[in-house]
Structures are given as C-alpha cells and as structure tokens.
Amino acid sequence: MAKYRIGLGVTGGIAAYKAVEVLRLLQKADCDVSVAMTRHATEFVQPLTFRALTDKHVIVDDYDPENPDPIAHINFSQEIDLLLIVPATANIIGKFANGVADDFLSSTYLATTAMVMVAPAMNTTMWEQPATQRNVTQLKADGVYFVEPVAGELACKTVGTGKLEDVENIVRQALALVGELGSRGVGETNTHDLRSEHFLITVGGTREAIDPVRFISNHSSGKMGFAVAEAAATRGAKVTVVAGVTTVEPPANVNVIRAVSAEDMHTAVKGEIANATVFVGAAAVADYAPANAADAKIKKDGRDVMTLELKKTPDILSEVSKNRRDGMLVVGFAAETNDVVGYARSKIEKKGLDLVVANDITKAGAGFNTDTNIATILTRSGGEIELPLMSKREMADRILDEIVRLRKG
Ligand code: PMT
C-alpha cells in the first residue's frame, strides 16, 4: 500500500512541465499520485504525459464524457491526504481564496478535507500585486501551506521573485507535511478535521501592574497554548489567539491579539467570542491584581514590609462558559501542584467545562516553560486520559483529538 495519497493539481504556467518531475519524485517516495489539470495547464503539458506515468485518468473537466467518474471532484477530493498544487498561478490562488469553483480543480479545493499545499510560480509583478498578496494571506489564514516562490531569472526574461521553488524542495516539504501528521496514521489526523471550527485560545501569562515599574506575573511561556493554536490551524480550524505575555513567537498560521493584564485579556476575549465555536483557556491568568496600581514608582521610604491590596480579576473561562451559545465547546487547563486530578475535576463543575487538561507542574518536563508536558485530560462525562511525557505539540494534537470526539458526541 502506498504511504500517502497525493492529489497533484497542475495549473497553466510555463513551470507546468516541472510538475512531471514532482510526480516522479513523489512516486519514488512511495506515494500514490492522482493528477488534475486546469484547461490552461493542458496548453503547456499534455494530460497524456501524466496519464502514462500514473496509469490513471487525468481529470481536467468534470463534465467531459470521457471522464469515468460522474462526480469526480467529490471522489477525488475525498481520496487524498494532500492536495498539492504545482505550479499555482495567480488565477488559481485567487479562486481558492474566494471560494470560486468554476472548474474541476477549484471545485476539488472546496470539496476536500485534506491538507492543501500550494507552490506558486508567476511573473514578479503578478506575485507582488496587492490582489495576489491579499489572496495568499487569506489562504494562509485558511490553513493552506505555501512553498514560497524564489528569486531568479523568470521565463519572461526578467529577474525577480516568482520562480517555482526547486522541485526537490517542494517534494521534501510536501512529504514533511504529510509525514508529520502521517506518523499518526493516514486518514486519522491527516485531514482538516477541524475545518468547520473557529478556535479562540488564550495563551501565556498576564502582568498585573503594581506601579509603572513592577508587576505580578507567572512563569507561562505560551508554548502550550501556541502549540494548541498551531495544531488546530494545521487541522483546518480558523484560530484566533489572545496572547498575554509570552517568551516564544506565535505560530505563523493564526491571528494574534495581544493583551497584557487579565483585564485586557478579558476585554479581547469579549470582543472575539461571538465568532468562536471552541474556546480554550490555556493562559495562566493572574487570579488577583493590585487593587490600586500606583501612577508613580512606589518608594521604599525605609519600609521593611509592604502590604499590597489585591482584587480578584474577572474569571474569563467561567464567564465564557456561562454565556456560551449552543454547540460551543469550552476547554480549560489546570496547573496544579497537589491533588491534580481532584482539583481539575472540581474546575469542570465550578467553571462549567466540557474538558480540562490538568498538568502537575511539579513533575520534571511538565508545566511552565518546558517544550514537553505530562497531563491528564478529564471530560465532563467522567473520561480520564493520561498523557505521558511528550512534546507540547504532540499533546496539542491529543487534546484536539478529544475535542473532535466530543464534537461527534
Ligand atoms: O505557557 P507554558 O509555559 O507552555 O505553560 C503551560 C501552562 C502550564 C501555563 C498551561 O498548560 C496551563 O496549565 N494553563 C492554565 C494555568 C492556570 O492558570 O491554571 P488555573 O488552574 O489557575 O486556571 C484554570 C483555568 O481558568 C485556566 O484555563 C485559566 O486559563 C482560566 N482562568 C483562570 C483565571 C482567570 N481569571 N481567568 C481564566 O480564564
């Protein structure tokens, strides 16, 4: 059995001939490749070339009487792990970004739940056009992967960015993409199984000002929350992150809104929650903030002891849960040092959660600022899944698997 099933989409540019080499390299890597071409692509390379190499019908037009499958765009789109477009013209990028489905390939894009990777190639001016860049930004936000074009001499004899990346690099990136998730089993998480979800995720720590110089905070780096955000976007979800103070960069494929204090985070979440179908509270939000932050630096004035009056911050997670719309899932985290599962389970009740991820922050390799974590996932219905030491990215996928299971009911 082939390792991965790839749908290779070829569109009408001079680099279309390089798709033949991509096909050969994918086949060498033990992939089962099916080819679809746009009508313009057939002006550059004959479908017969791909047909001879794949021993399969090459689909250009759903309505072609010679097409053996009457609903080809549905079947083709469901039987692949990755839709790879090489080369991608500005036209197909525009169609994908705007949901236009007026030919086989663009209909396939709309119909697929597979991951999508696009390798553009075009004249520099076309690539740099604001319209093209807008469409590229939109597709990235939609979870589409790009193998960016490179600089070099173009077919139009100009020099600039727009040249198709080396075919070896395209194939390497495509295999890395399916391989990364494929290690979990083709057809299991290799799909955009969160495509219809919009995640709103709080990430990182908050800073509560004492005065303009000092603050109360915690050790959260943002690694766990960003890992969940990246994994959800990779699996096709639209993702908005409200990030407090973090020590790592956010993933490229998500929208990020910055917040500093618990109050800021609360305001940002209220502004975004209307669009969310899943809320994940991964942030370590300060439970208390100074009741009256000083406007000027507080002087020591010989005092050995200083008392700070603290007031409770808004409990963002509880509030989201209390006001949730029908069908919205609410997921919390719990960072505990003792009776981890007991305290976490009580949070399910107190905060009205569907699921809580409990980490014992006293364990080596778990909790704050580590690349790994150890946790127990608890569900409202009494489910308990122990997750041993693993990378936060891997754990993010395990959490998302449970969210998918809850959604299926
Ligand atoms: O960021 P890293 O360095 O990768 O570390 C990861 C982590 C340890 C921060 C993360 O995995 C984690 O456990 N986050 C939650 C930490 C926490 O604040 O736990 P808590 O038990 O105090 O809060 C319970 C839940 O209520 C959390 O989902 C929290 O986001 C939420 N909460 C808490 C207080 C508040 N005012 N508003 C909230 O929304």
Side-chain angles (χ1 to χ4, degrees):
M1 200 181 125
K3 258 209 258 167
Y4 307 115
R5 301 160 303 172
I6 314 281
L8 179 61
V10 186
T11 71
I14 192 74
Y17 73 96
K18 294 189 181 172
V20 178
E21 189 55 23
V22 169
L23 165 65
R24 298 302 281 163
L25 290 171
L26 287 169
Q27 286 176 325
K28 266 194 203 156
D30 206 14
C31 294
D32 177 25
V33 187
S34 308
V35 178
M37 301 176 77
T38 61
R39 188 150 300 291
H40 284 144
T42 66
E43 302 285 341
F44 294 89
V45 186
Q46 286 288 315
L48 185 61
T49 308
F50 293 108
R51 185 174 182 164
L53 293 170
T54 58
D55 211 16
K56 287 186 204 173
H57 182 75
V58 172
I59 311 164
V60 178
D61 178 3
D62 268 29
Y63 304 106
D64 185 337
E66 281 195 12
N67 187 353
D69 183 350
I71 46 165
H73 68 276
I74 300 295
N75 292 333
F76 182 99
S77 64
Q78 302 304 307
E79 288 165 7
I80 52 177
D81 302 308
L82 173 70
L83 177 63
L84 174 64
I85 312 297
V86 185
T89 56
N91 187 42
I92 202 73
I93 290 171
K95 285 192 200 179
F96 285 3
N98 291 287
V100 177
D102 64 350
D103 62 6
F104 177 75
L105 194 55
S106 49
S107 308
T108 297
Y109 171 74
L110 281 192
T112 195
T113 53
M115 292 182 288
V116 181
M117 179 175 264
V118 167
M122 67 195 77
N123 158 278
T124 308
T125 312
M126 291 176 80
W127 173 246
E128 289 175 351
Q129 271 303 332
T132 308
Q133 288 305 311
R134 262 199 313 277
N135 291 331
V136 169
T137 304
Q138 180 59 54
L139 285 182
K140 285 182 181 172
D142 293 344
V144 170
Y145 295 87
F146 273 75
V147 183
E148 301 284 333
V150 293
E153 189 179 345
L154 304 175
C156 51
K157 304 283 177 257
T158 57
V159 174
T161 301
K163 196 170 145 67
L164 189 75
E165 172 62 285
D166 277 350
V167 287
E168 286 84 3
N169 267 341
I170 294 173
V171 171
R172 203 173 301 124
Q173 290 190 44
L175 292 175
L177 185 59
V178 281
E180 179 194 331
L181 302 172
S183 60
R184 300 162 57 74
V186 171
E188 199 184 285
T189 56
N190 243 359
T191 58
H192 277 184
D193 58 353
L194 294 170
R195 198 173 196 178
S196 55
E197 304 287 358
H198 185 153
F199 276 65
L200 179 60
I201 307 176
T202 62
V203 174
T206 63
R207 268 185 194 172
E208 312 303 331
I210 297 170
D211 66 15
V213 179
R214 307 166 179 105
F215 53 80
I216 298 172
S217 191
N218 57 62
H219 300 288
S220 176
S221 62
K223 289 179 185 176
M224 188 67 241
F226 282 154
V228 175
E230 188 189 61
T234 299
R235 289 165 69 159
K238 197 165 186 316
V239 179
T240 304
V241 167
V242 177
V245 180
T246 59
T247 58
V248 289
E249 286 298 308
N253 53 354
V254 305
N255 300 322
V256 180
I257 298 167
R258 284 287 174 184
V260 176
S261 64
E263 198 62 61
D264 295 344
M265 194 171 267
H266 182 224
T267 305
V269 166
K270 279 196 293 185
E272 295 297 318
I273 196 66
N275 299 319
T277 59
V278 181
F279 179 79
V280 180
V285 188
D287 293 310
Y288 291 90
N292 299 298
D295 292 334
K297 184 178 175 185
I298 300 171
K299 292 293 167 199
K300 293 185 279 294
D301 290 338
R303 284 182 284 188
D304 287 338
V305 176
M306 183 182 282
T307 305
L308 267 181
E309 198 185 359
L310 301 177
K311 63 168 194 272
K312 207 152 179 15
T313 57
D315 189 326
I316 302 167
L317 188 60
S318 297
E319 190 181 299
V320 165
S321 166
K322 208 167 87 202
N323 300 316
R324 71 166 86 183
R325 293 188 320 278
D326 276 358
M328 186 175 166
L329 293 173
V330 181
V331 175
F333 272 74
E336 302 292 348
T337 53
N338 57 302
D339 190 11
V340 177
V341 168
Y343 281 128
R345 191 155 287 292
S346 73
K347 273 180 190 150
I348 291 189
E349 285 311 318
K350 264 197 242 150
K351 300 200 182 207
L353 309 179
D354 296 294
L355 184 153
V356 68
V357 183
N359 13 219
D360 180 346
I361 57 165
T362 63
K363 286 191 181 150
F368 293 115
N369 201 21
T370 47
D371 292 328
T372 54
N373 208 358
I374 304 167
T376 308
I377 296 179
L378 305 170
T379 61
R380 170 168 278 283
S381 59
E384 211 169 297
I385 302 145
E386 286 195 21
L387 303 176
L389 183 72
M390 63 181 76
S391 72
K392 283 184 172 167
R393 182 61 177 75
E394 210 180 333
M395 184 168 287
D397 264 319
R398 299 289 290 273
I399 296 165
L400 295 178
D401 289 347
E402 290 316 309
I403 291 174
V404 169
R405 247 186 281 279
L406 284 182
R407 185 57 93 205
K408 285 181 181 159

